[in-house]
Amino acid sequence: MSTRDLFEHSLQEQIDREAPLAARMRPHTLDEYAGQEHIIGPGRLLRRAIQADQLSSLIFYGPPGTGKTTLAMVIARTTQSHFITINAVLAGVKDIREAIQTAQEYRGMYQRRTILFVDEVHRWNKAQQDALLPWVENGTVILIGATTENPYFSVNRPLVSRSRIFQLKSLTEDNLRQIALQAIRDPERGYGQLKVELHPDALDHLVNVANGDARGVLNALELAVETTPPNREGVIVIDSSVAEESIQRRAVLYDKDGDAHYDTISAFIKSLRGSDPDAALYWLAKMVYAGEDPRFIFRRMLIFAGEDVGLADPSAMGVVHACAETFDRIGLPEGRFPLSQATLYLATAPKSNSAMGLFDALSTVEREQEGEVPTHLRDGSRDKEGFGHGEGYLYPHAYRDHWVAQQYLPTTLQGKVFYQPSDQGYERQIRDRVTRRREAQLAAMVEGTHVAPPEVLTYSPTDRDRDRWLQRAIGNVGEHLGRRRDWVLDRVGLERHHLVLDIHAGTGLLTWESIRRVPEGGVWALAPDEDAAGALRQQAGRLDELARPTVLAGTIAQLPDLLAACGDAAVRFDAIVGHNAFTHGLAGDRARDASVLADLLAPGGRVCLAQVLPKHTQRIYALVDLSGLPESLGGRITAAEEAIYDNPDDGWVNWDLADLESAFRAAGCGQITSEVETQVTELLVTPALLERWFSTDPGGERPTYAQHLLRQISPDELSRYRATLQHACLNQAVPWRSRTALILIGG
């Protein structure tokens, strides 16, 4: 090593020793990293990508002190790629070009990829971001950007579209305690070589005021330790008074041009809309504390008074306007009183958004090109004699209550409703009055009275809207399956980072949509056998390697062993979903399977199932009129088929929703909510289907329909029944009814 290298190495060691505590305590490995389990916990997509060294371009987005730069440093220590760091505040296009040149050299000479970490990437202007784009696109560099601003607004769209975005959340109090205690105990990077006594109440204060910011708690701890002399025993005592001096004012994340600004005002308005005065005052206080312009808040409250209170309390607009005028006269700090008054008035006022009817009307104007002014409403002062404009208009003040039933909408929009009065506050009175008048107008239109006369010398085509008629859509299997899929995945509440287990993957009905909904998480698919698993893996081959589901083959009972075999024994799932996962099996199997799934759920996880209830399947005897058969035969056929589903020894078909709920309740899965829907689809009765129903071949695992019937009717009677069914239904589409339970468990 040259003298210069030795000097630079010594200088770097000195810089590392003298670096602030927050810099010294940066984790070196994923196991040291605190927080953000939703993106780097066991089984998460990002952790798998880091461990496999298969990173694509990434953008880390989150508040200060949540570990964005630290996570990039962990990746730098983990990956085999060359790692370059740039700070967007200090670097420009020249630095980008130098980084690209270095990346090309490493790629050409050493066959190594280059990861370019850009801290505060949102600070770059469009030209600087555009200069990087081609090299990200052709794979010369893998970008890792860190930003406190929403990348969808602060980073160029082409760069965003080529990157995976991971949102980091503020650290929890437990995370901050872990970080602080680790700094106290670490002998190399922290204060483990000193005798430091950190009182619990002091730690609570540091953690509380740091407000989820790891850098904040470490900076305060460093100040406390470095400025507190040791006592006679050589112990540095950090009590509550020292902690309060080290960090006194909570740092509130609030950027007037950033996400915090828009998110907080959004929370404020939604709290007003939800009539929650406590929440509204809290978000108002956060804005005032952070220095938000009160005039901006008043402007939003004036809009709210018209949009969300409206005619439910017509005084709301005046009250907020008066409070805004008062604020302009008195200013701060006393101006907080009119701010609070306006907030409380709006939060407690009755609500109506009937003013939104204007936007329905605007939409109609955009679509209805032929909506001309009716003849009787036109200005008759110029051409009443020539064209009849104004003819037939009824002057409301000439009638009782200053109102008369006549039509004011264009002919093509007769009966169209834009204004929907609420039943809140003052608008309740308006609603009753408007409803009665609309009924009178409708009656007048139907009876032909007070309808605008046709326009003189003109012709208008017949209104197509009046000729519309309702068509009953014929249900089909695909439609029902799509609805069930959406119900399951909507109710289970998937988030982008969730881990999902599909316990009866089959054709992948839930698997593929789950993959789309959890791009930063992961999906495991349990296929019933190797054939189905192979088909799923073949379809998954079209996806990027990291996006592919982990496909398992077996039963629910085998899941723990299957997960262990692929190295995922520690994975716990945020969501477990299934479509007809419990169709086959006995009561004991359902209880065992529910227990297995309960053990695989993460805290707060949910199970959501769509399950056809076999006890309520379509009865074949109901497809045909049995009255042509002897009375006793029709009754015995009916009894024989019903006995299939009432057999206490046949756990495959004799169970109902209550049995499935009982199994999960016994497994301790928490709250269970369910609903049952009835589907009617069309079934084509083919010769093959009839043969399957009426086969008497005993070779199958379970008795056929015919074998069940033969317990109560003779072979000749079975043949007669088949002939009747064949005559009525063969090659015909018949309605096939079934009942599906939609079940949400836990959460």
Side-chain angles (χ1 to χ4, degrees):
M1 184 178 293
S2 66
T3 303
R4 179 176 179 179
D5 290 340
L6 285 171
F7 175 76
E8 290 180 351
H9 180 72
S10 177
L11 179 60
Q12 186 60 49
E13 286 184 342
Q14 182 181 352
I15 291 174
D16 291 341
R17 287 194 304 269
E18 297 176 355
L21 179 64
R24 300 200 307 269
M25 290 303 300
R26 288 191 191 279
H28 292 171
T29 66
L30 285 174
D31 292 333
E32 293 180 4
Y33 194 90
Q36 314 306 337
E37 289 85 358
H38 63 289
I39 61 172
I40 61 167
R44 307 291 179 185
L45 174 73
L46 182 56
R47 190 184 190 96
R48 302 199 310 270
I50 294 172
Q51 292 173 336
D53 198 10
Q54 294 184 2
L55 289 171
S56 58
S57 291
L58 309 171
I59 295 178
F60 296 143
Y61 158 52
T66 52
K68 300 182 295 296
T69 303
T70 298
L71 187 52
M73 295 298 102
V74 169
I75 293 173
R77 292 176 179 271
T78 305
T79 182
Q80 299 298 314
S81 303
H82 180 56
F83 202 89
I84 300 175
T85 299
I86 291 179
N87 190 301
V89 175
L90 305 175
V93 174
K94 178 183 176 183
D95 301 277
I96 297 174
R97 289 173 180 165
E98 292 177 355
I100 297 303
Q101 183 178 353
T102 302
Q104 290 173 327
E105 291 174 357
Y106 269 83
R107 192 175 188 179
M109 297 173 61
Y110 308 112
Q111 302 300 310
R112 287 179 64 188
R113 299 180 305 167
T114 295
I115 294 177
L116 176 61
F117 173 59
V118 183
D119 202 5
E120 301 188 76
V121 66
H122 62 277
R123 300 284 188 178
W124 270 347
N125 58 34
K126 184 177 184 299
Q128 291 168 315
Q129 294 183 30
D130 285 344
L132 183 60
L133 180 61
W135 310 108
V136 172
E137 193 168 34
N138 67 18
T140 300
V141 295
I142 296 172
L143 170 69
I144 298 181
T147 174
T148 57
E149 302 290 337
N150 190 328
Y152 290 103
F153 298 110
S154 60
V155 180
N156 284 4
R157 185 178 296 275
L159 212 53
V160 168
S161 68
R162 289 161 177 80
S163 306
R164 283 189 179 273
I165 296 176
F166 291 92
Q167 184 172 5
L168 280 71
K169 300 177 182 178
S170 296
L171 298 179
T172 66
E173 291 188 356
D174 288 340
N175 295 147
L176 294 181
R177 286 191 178 89
Q178 175 188 344
I179 291 169
L181 293 174
Q182 186 177 352
I184 292 292
R185 297 164 182 164
D186 192 310
E188 296 180 3
R189 294 177 288 166
Y191 295 119
Q193 295 179 348
L194 302 177
K195 295 180 180 180
V196 179
E197 181 181 325
L198 180 59
H199 288 191
D201 55 347
L203 179 58
D204 289 343
H205 177 78
L206 295 177
V207 166
N208 181 41
V209 181
N211 208 24
D213 185 338
R215 188 181 297 107
V217 77
L218 288 174
N219 288 343
L221 181 62
E222 181 178 28
L223 180 61
V225 173
E226 300 289 349
T227 60
T228 303
N231 61 16
R232 292 179 179 178
E233 289 76 26
V235 178
I236 299 174
V237 179
I238 310 298
D239 57 18
S240 59
S241 61
V242 175
E244 289 172 2
E245 291 177 0
S246 302
I247 182 168
Q248 298 177 352
R249 179 178 170 88
R250 181 183 299 275
V252 174
L253 177 63
Y254 197 90
D255 185 341
K256 292 183 182 180
D257 296 320
D259 281 354
H261 164 78
Y262 295 105
D263 290 344
T264 307
I265 193 64
S266 174
F268 175 67
I269 294 300
K270 288 172 181 174
S271 299
L272 293 178
R273 187 177 295 130
S275 299
D276 189 332
D278 303 306
L281 285 177
Y282 170 78
W283 297 116
L284 174 66
K286 182 174 181 180
M287 290 187 288
V288 171
Y289 183 88
E292 180 62 83
D293 184 358
R295 292 173 179 81
F296 166 74
I297 302 174
F298 273 121
R299 184 173 69 83
R300 292 301 302 266
M301 285 197 285
L302 283 167
I303 296 170
F304 181 89
E307 178 183 354
D308 291 282
V309 177
L311 291 180
D313 186 347
S315 302
M317 187 78 74
V319 170
V320 177
H321 185 268
C323 289
E325 291 284 335
T326 302
F327 178 87
D328 284 339
R329 290 199 174 194
I330 64 177
L332 289 172
E334 290 84 356
R336 295 175 178 180
F337 291 110
L339 266 172
S340 178
Q341 180 178 343
T343 297
L344 290 173
Y345 191 95
L346 293 178
T348 57
K351 305 296 190 296
S352 170
N353 66 343
S354 56
M356 299 295 289
L358 170 63
F359 298 95
D360 291 337
L362 287 171
S363 177
T364 300
V365 170
E366 291 177 358
R367 297 192 310 267
E368 301 290 341
Q369 299 296 328
E370 68 276 9
E372 297 181 350
V373 177
T375 303
H376 69 296
L377 299 182
R378 295 191 179 188
D379 177 19
S381 61
R382 297 166 298 167
D383 47 21
K384 181 176 182 179
E385 293 183 2
F387 292 103
H389 290 174
E391 186 69 29
Y393 172 65
L394 305 177
Y395 189 58
H397 295 296
Y399 294 83
R400 182 180 178 182
D401 296 327
H402 302 263
W403 183 84
V404 62
Q406 66 180 333
Q407 295 300 323
Y408 296 94
L409 280 168
T411 302
T412 58
L413 296 176
Q414 295 297 312
K416 179 71 174 176
V417 173
F418 296 112
Y419 175 49
Q420 300 281 4
S422 74
D423 60 354
Q424 299 296 307
Y426 170 74
E427 200 168 26
R428 181 192 295 272
Q429 306 170 39
I430 300 176
R431 183 187 64 169
D432 296 340
R433 185 162 62 248
V434 168
T435 300
R436 288 194 298 271
R437 289 178 175 175
R438 280 176 177 162
E439 291 169 351
Q441 283 181 315
L442 179 61
M445 182 175 67
V446 172
E447 294 173 9
T449 58
H450 305 316
V451 178
E455 187 173 6
V456 178
L457 304 179
T458 65
Y459 170 78
S460 298
T462 303
D463 177 19
R464 291 191 299 270
D465 289 345
R466 291 186 179 183
D467 297 331
R468 288 179 182 169
W469 55 287
L470 298 177
Q471 295 185 357
R472 188 179 184 88
I474 298 175
N476 58 66
V477 174
E479 201 173 307
H480 287 300
L481 289 178
R483 188 166 64 250
R484 289 181 201 166
R485 175 200 61 204
D486 294 341
W487 189 97
V488 168
L489 298 182
D490 289 345
R491 295 302 190 282
V492 82
L494 293 182
E495 298 182 26
R496 294 174 63 86
H497 62 274
H498 273 176
L499 302 183
V500 182
L501 171 63
D502 182 359
I503 55 174
H504 193 247
T507 60
L509 174 70
L510 301 177
T511 302
W512 309 124
E513 180 64 18
S514 296
I515 291 172
R516 283 189 284 271
R517 297 194 185 197
V518 293
E520 281 82 50
V523 176
W524 281 251
L526 178 65
D529 51 51
E530 281 296 341
D531 289 341
L536 286 174
R537 293 188 186 104
Q538 186 174 3
Q539 295 177 63
R542 297 172 296 175
L543 302 174
D544 293 338
E545 185 174 349
L546 289 174
R548 295 172 190 169
T550 300
V551 179
L552 310 172
T555 65
I556 293 175
Q558 296 169 333
L559 263 173
D561 293 334
L562 294 172
L563 290 170
C566 64
D568 294 329
V571 171
R572 291 298 177 265
F573 298 97
D574 303 292
I576 297 177
V577 297
H579 178 249
N580 288 340
F582 290 84
T583 299
H584 305 303
L586 305 177
D589 298 336
R590 288 189 292 276
R592 177 203 60 207
D593 291 348
S595 179
V596 169
L597 297 180
D599 291 339
L600 292 175
L601 268 185
R606 291 180 169 186
V607 179
C608 199
L609 307 170
Q611 177 63 55
V612 171
L613 299 174
K615 190 176 180 66
H616 300 286
T617 193
Q618 171 71 41
R619 303 307 194 245
I620 296 175
Y621 69 75
L623 299 177
V624 65
D625 183 5
L626 299 179
S627 60
L629 299 174
E631 182 178 353
S632 63
L633 177 56
R636 281 183 287 125
I637 290 173
T638 301
E641 187 168 354
E642 290 296 342
I644 299 174
Y645 304 96
D646 292 331
N647 182 0
D649 298 325
D650 192 346
W652 287 56
V653 296
N654 67 2
W655 58 276
D656 207 339
L657 172 60
D659 300 293
L660 192 56
E661 290 180 340
S662 177
F664 278 98
R665 197 171 289 113
C669 288
Q671 182 179 356
I672 300 176
T673 58
S674 61
E675 58 185 84
V676 176
E677 66 172 17
T678 299
Q679 302 91 32
V680 180
T681 57
E682 288 188 339
L683 177 71
L684 183 63
V685 181
T686 63
L689 180 60
L690 274 175
E691 180 60 32
R692 189 163 73 247
W693 284 346
F694 287 94
S695 172
T696 57
D697 181 6
E701 292 183 15
R702 293 176 53 77
T704 64
Y705 177 62
Q707 288 171 329
H708 279 290
L709 297 185
L710 286 172
R711 296 171 182 173
Q712 297 196 35
I713 65 177
S714 68
D716 290 341
E717 290 172 328
L718 179 67
S719 298
R720 187 170 182 179
Y721 171 42
R722 174 174 179 165
T724 301
L725 193 63
Q726 182 170 325
H727 177 75
C729 301
L730 183 61
N731 295 324
Q732 300 293 320
V734 297
W736 190 267
R737 289 175 174 79
S738 62
R739 297 182 70 185
T740 298
L742 305 170
I743 313 161
L744 180 63
I745 305 160

